[in-house]
Amino acid sequence: MAEKVLMKGNEALAEAAIQAGCHHFFGYPITPQTELAAYMAKRMPKIGGTYLQAESEIAAVNMVLGAAAAGVRAMTSSSSPGISLKGEGISYMAGSDLPAVIINVQRGGPGLGGIQPSQADYWQATKALGHGDFQILVFAPSTVQEMVNLVSDAFDKADQYRMPAMILADGMLGQMMEPVELPEKKEQAAVEKPWAACGHGGKRKHNIVNSLYLTPNALEDLVRERYARYEVIKANEQRAEEYRTEDADLIVVAYGASSRVARSAVNKAREEGLKVGLVRPITLWPFPTDAIQRAAKQAKQLLVVEMSMGQMVDDVRLAANCSVPVHFYGRTGGIIPTPKEVLGEIKKLLK
């Protein structure tokens, strides 16, 4: 078993990406994810990789697009307003069917907002990251160890389905230090990418990586093919943790840092004899509809807890098919809810 080391979330994300075979990082410093880029600036030259600090977030994401088009594993990271600037490039990557990983260590908004933790980019990540009909894979870790584990998954699934993937963390997870077990670096089998624009020595036709299609029927066919792929992903890639839900009268739904707070509140509620459980979405897209449906069949009501004004609530209601009441408790502006606050809301609902 590998030895556990104490690492800050942002740095653990960076090292895990390197272990997953990403040797090409293009970024721009912005709080609270700057340590991730700083770590990559030190590590990449030592492993023969590429580190480039771009002149802007827009330049960085377009560098990722170019590297991904050449068939290599590439990554960028930023925090909320920086991700907004990357939106156009991410849309281009989706339209070109390119795999890449984007890290968002969320901060409060809108606008420049603040530099404290937030989960107010849920809508952006799952519904409106760029123009056009497309989705990206979205993973939501709740611990530093899970940040490490999900980076490898994000690269693998991005390659498998030829689409961008995002790790949606937040300032709390990015800045906290926890013991983590880093994966041992393995020689990875080369992923076949016959579509890549990586040179061919006259052995095949030219590959063209492009997202511009001037013939409407051709563009429609491509979008429909992409959406057929999305249905496969929805069927096979939903992930959620179900905690103490078997006999629960009320089930809390929370992801990321908020789920840590919610778990503490659930445990305290159980100590007081209240039948409360937790569903923690791990994939935000595809949304874990199946787990929410199971919760709605078991519980009499659901409580969504977020560090936002309730961006996940509608997805929970849709997944539950409005079969049980769905309530919301949240803090925003960079304020983290406390277990005491969540427990108070649980008790209020169970009166």
Side-chain angles (χ1 to χ4, degrees):
M1 180 180 292
E3 183 180 354
K4 287 197 172 185
V5 295
L6 191 64
M7 293 191 78
K8 185 176 281 192
N10 284 332
E11 295 177 346
L13 272 172
E15 184 60 35
I18 292 170
Q19 300 304 317
C22 175
H23 296 167
H24 306 273
F25 178 88
F26 310 95
Y28 187 83
I30 177 173
T31 306
Q33 67 84 48
T34 302
E35 296 97 339
L36 201 161
Y39 189 92
M40 287 297 203
K42 294 176 184 177
R43 286 283 281 130
M44 283 298 184
K46 295 177 181 178
I47 62 169
T50 302
Y51 170 83
L52 279 176
Q53 179 175 306
E55 64 182 1
S56 69
E57 289 91 348
I58 298 169
V61 76
N62 284 316
M63 291 175 181
V64 173
L65 188 156
V72 301
R73 285 191 163 181
M75 185 177 85
T76 188
S77 67
S78 194
S79 295
S80 304
I83 296 294
S84 296
L85 290 170
K86 293 179 189 290
E88 180 185 51
I90 296 169
S91 178
Y92 281 17
M93 283 192 282
S96 303
D97 294 309
L98 290 176
V101 171
I102 303 103
I103 310 291
N104 183 1
V105 183
Q106 298 170 88
R107 55 188 262 183
L112 289 177
I115 62 172
Q116 302 304 318
S118 173
Q119 292 179 316
D121 296 353
Y122 177 93
W123 280 338
Q124 181 190 51
T126 61
K127 293 178 171 55
L129 192 48
H131 61 284
D133 289 314
F134 78 94
Q135 298 281 172
I136 66 169
L137 296 157
V138 183
F139 297 89
S142 67
T143 65
V144 177
Q145 183 64 63
E146 198 169 35
M147 291 166 90
V148 167
N149 298 342
L150 289 178
V151 166
S152 179
D153 289 350
F155 276 109
D156 288 345
K157 295 303 177 182
D159 280 342
Q160 179 180 347
Y161 294 110
R162 283 189 63 184
M163 62 190 295
M166 175 177 282
I167 303 291
L168 192 65
D170 63 76
M172 175 178 160
L173 292 172
Q175 297 296 316
M176 69 164 46
M177 296 187 77
E178 288 185 325
V180 296
E181 183 179 313
L182 292 168
E184 294 184 9
K185 185 171 177 55
K186 298 178 181 178
E187 290 301 322
Q188 299 199 351
V191 178
E192 291 294 323
K193 297 182 178 180
W195 47 264
C198 56
H200 57 83
K203 297 177 182 177
R204 58 164 170 78
K205 291 182 179 179
H206 290 288
N207 283 341
I208 298 174
V209 176
N210 177 46
S211 66
L212 177 64
Y213 297 89
L214 298 179
T215 304
N217 287 342
L219 179 56
E220 182 181 61
D221 288 345
L222 282 166
V223 173
R224 289 190 184 280
E225 184 280 326
R226 210 167 283 134
Y227 268 72
R229 202 183 325 154
Y230 295 164
E231 290 304 312
V232 173
I233 295 169
K234 289 178 185 178
N236 296 329
E237 304 298 344
Q238 294 182 33
R239 298 190 198 179
E241 178 190 8
E242 297 169 69
Y243 178 69
R244 306 187 82 165
T245 58
E246 296 83 359
D247 63 342
D249 292 327
L250 183 148
I251 292 177
V252 181
V253 183
Y255 71 93
S258 291
S259 71
R260 299 171 69 113
V261 175
R263 183 186 297 268
S264 295
V266 166
N267 287 337
K268 184 61 177 175
R270 284 284 178 172
E271 289 173 10
E272 298 184 17
L274 302 175
K275 293 182 178 180
V276 183
L278 170 70
V279 171
R280 177 175 71 89
I282 298 171
T283 53
L284 301 183
W285 197 91
F287 191 70
T289 301
D290 295 346
I292 300 300
Q293 288 177 346
R294 286 191 292 271
K297 289 178 181 177
Q298 168 61 46
K300 298 172 184 174
Q301 49 190 329
L302 305 178
L303 171 63
V304 178
V305 175
E306 295 180 77
M307 290 191 289
S308 74
M309 292 301 291
Q311 295 189 10
M312 186 173 64
V313 173
D314 284 345
D315 282 344
V316 174
R317 287 194 178 117
L318 286 169
N321 200 25
C322 300
S323 58
V324 294
V326 177
H327 309 280
F328 167 69
Y329 181 79
R331 301 299 301 271
T332 191
I335 298 173
I336 301 169
T338 67
K340 184 177 179 180
E341 291 171 8
V342 177
L343 179 60
E345 195 69 16
I346 289 169
K347 289 182 175 178
K348 186 193 306 181
L349 294 171
L350 288 176
K351 278 185 179 178

